[in-house]
Amino acid sequence: MRAVAALVAERDREDVAAVFGVSLKAVDIWWVKWQAGGREALVMRPRGKPVGVHQVLGEAEQAAVRQAVLDHRPCDMGLSGQLWTRRLVGELIAKLYRVRLTEPGVGKYLRRWGLSFQRPDKRAVEQDPQAVRRWHEETWQAIRAKAKRDGGEILFADQVGIRSDQVTGRTWGEKGRTPVVRRSGNRFSVNAMSAISTRGRMHFMVFTESFTAEVMCRFLHFLPPYSPELNPDELVNADLKHSLPKQHRARNQAELAAETRRFFRRRQRQPHIVRGYFGGPHVRYVLDENPMSF
């Protein structure tokens, strides 16, 4: 439209093309469109077919496949595997509607349905949903009430092992060449126990000996079996493992233990982060109304 405005002002076609960095052909096309339909003729319109035109699957069929992907595993639908891929979704479509789609074609449907390729969350098959519900609705409420009545503090605890050869996360590198993370050839590890409270307080212990009942007795907690996602201290372990590889270059067990202690001490000075562990994707605990100040 700016180019046409210049033409209306009687600028030469060559000058307009040079100023706007386009070809003479483009300038001529815009001028013809302007003369035929004015401003509306110059408005950009999306290219290609409108969404939904000439789709192989109808709306009801698409809705059925989408729901099947969300509610079931491939093995539940008579296919192999437990995680959905474009190939398996294509096999499901072929099985249900006798239509063969390419993997890119399946991918277009999946994106159109608002789905994305994600790392799944894990759940123990032995987990008892009723026990989890009772924990949230009854046990946890009773614990909170008792702690408030007795002036107590609620702690969630867990144990974690850290290895020297552990590498997590991703890094940028040159295409076609895998980045190399240099580390010691010696393998060593340390263990840690941590406990966090709804007030934002953290306690921890780093040790090199085996994890024993004596160690556990210092950090006892009570949760339904096979329900680690109810324990917000699990997020501390994930935070620790995610943070250490980016920061430490431990050459021996003592250095690894020191780096682990530094992580916990840093979190001890950050109660707002500790309290944030209680608001993870699966952990929803009401925090104390009057958090302790530090």
Side-chain angles (χ1 to χ4, degrees), residues 194-209:
S194 64
I196 58 176
S197 78
T198 55
R199 296 176 177 177
R201 186 189 296 275
M202 171 183 281
H203 304 272
F204 75 92
M205 180 176 66
V206 178
F207 54 98
T208 56
E209 66 271 21

Side-chain angles (χ1 to χ4, degrees), residues 86-108:
R86 294 185 303 176
R87 177 181 63 81
L88 287 173
V89 174
E91 289 183 12
L92 176 63
I93 293 172
K95 181 178 180 180
L96 294 176
Y97 304 114
R98 300 183 181 276
V99 173
R100 289 286 178 184
L101 298 175
T102 64
E103 289 193 16
V106 173
K108 290 181 180 179

Side-chain angles (χ1 to χ4, degrees), residues 192-228:
M193 283 289 298
S194 64
I196 58 176
S197 78
T198 55
R199 296 176 177 177
R201 186 189 296 275
M202 171 183 281
H203 304 272
F204 75 92
M205 180 176 66
V206 178
F207 54 98
T208 56
E209 66 271 21
S210 299
F211 177 58
T212 64
E214 180 183 357
V215 175
M216 183 61 189
C217 284
R218 306 175 198 172
F219 289 89
L220 277 180
H221 58 80
F222 301 91
L223 290 175
Y226 305 106
S227 304

